[in-house]
Amino acid sequence: QKEVEQNSGPLSVPEGAIASLNCTYSDRVSQSFFWYRQYSGKSPELIMSIYSNGDKEDGRFTAQLNKASQYVSLLIRDSQPSDSATYLCAVNIRSRMKTSYDKVIFGPGTSLSVIP
Amino acid sequence: GAVVSQHPSRVICKSGTSVKIECRSLDFQATTMFWYRQFPKQSLMLMATSNEGSKATYEQGVEKDKFLINHASLTLSTLTVTSAHPEDSSFYICSAEGVYNEQFFGPGTRLTVL
């Protein structure tokens, strides 16, 4: 099982709809979870972080975390064409080696297309 | 806040030359920085973790003698691609780690080796 998994998409939603992006992870003791947005040809941009179970809202974005199910999601309300991008889920993976550091693992990303 | 710059944004070089890419955290100090490579339509690939004042930790399969990383201060990390070849052509992106493990990315450097 890969450490962080996402559906590659593409996910297409009409303008104004809710886009739902999902991510699962394998490390039960992960504590930090992030969503990044990456436009084509650009570097990733942090849009949400979440550290405890439940929902966290920031504008049109809501991150949802369920540690028992090892699942984190991102909802985008009132989707706009400018939201069309690849969304990367990232999870802090605890190191099991004394000589190595904890590190953040990125999922492969879900491509979102918002249709006008 | 949390601005990371990268220089140059684009570089074209001849095969066999070395290229240095700079990554700077402009408004915060970063003990840890990361270097990624991304090929077109593919995922981010972590190359190495750079820690200020110590040797970088390279991911499996990344040649440390080819990709030299120096993190001499809390605001600057450099990646030098030595003896570059066409297969090294890629989008190189650095990031700096914040206090909650979040990463702030630089704008990336597009390297083309002829």
Side-chain angles (χ1 to χ4, degrees), chain B residues 50-61:
Chain B
S50 168
N51 291 285
E52 187 267 338
S54 64
K55 291 182 180 180
T57 303
Y58 289 82
E59 295 300 302
Q60 193 171 8

Side-chain angles (χ1 to χ4, degrees), chain B residues 1-53:
Chain B
V3 179
V4 177
S5 70
Q6 234 179 291
H7 178 81
S9 58
R10 187 179 295 268
V11 59
I12 301 173
C13 69
K14 293 182 179 179
S15 186
T17 60
S18 294
V19 175
K20 179 186 278 190
I21 303 170
E22 291 188 349
C23 178
R24 293 181 185 274
S25 56
L26 298 184
D27 52 0
F28 68 107
Q29 294 183 326
T31 303
T32 303
M33 291 184 172
F34 302 90
W35 286 97
Y36 294 86
R37 181 166 55 181
Q38 189 174 38
F39 294 105
K41 299 191 184 302
Q42 293 190 22
S43 305
L44 282 176
M45 189 196 85
L46 178 65
M47 299 175 67
T49 302
S50 168
N51 291 285
E52 187 267 338

Side-chain angles (χ1 to χ4, degrees), chain A residues 5-80:
Chain A
E5 297 194 64
Q6 296 179 255
N7 290 328
S8 61
L11 173 66
S12 292
V13 299
E15 184 174 355
I18 295 175
S20 178
L21 304 160
N22 304 315
C23 173
T24 57
Y25 60 94
S26 60
D27 189 344
R28 291 185 172 277
V29 297
S30 294
Q31 295 295 321
S32 308
F33 308 86
F34 311 93
W35 283 99
Y36 292 83
R37 176 175 62 197
Q38 186 175 23
Y39 291 112
S40 180
K42 303 293 185 182
S43 64
E45 166 191 16
L46 178 67
I47 53 173
M48 289 285 285
S49 58
I50 187 166
Y51 305 97
S52 55
N53 279 329
D55 294 1
K56 179 181 178 182
E57 187 175 317
D58 183 0
R60 294 187 296 113
F61 298 100
T62 299
Q64 299 175 316
L65 175 61
N66 183 326
K67 291 185 180 180
S69 300
Q70 294 174 234
Y71 175 91
V72 58
S73 65
L74 179 70
L75 301 178
I76 306 175
R77 289 183 301 282
D78 188 24
S79 295
Q80 301 296 309

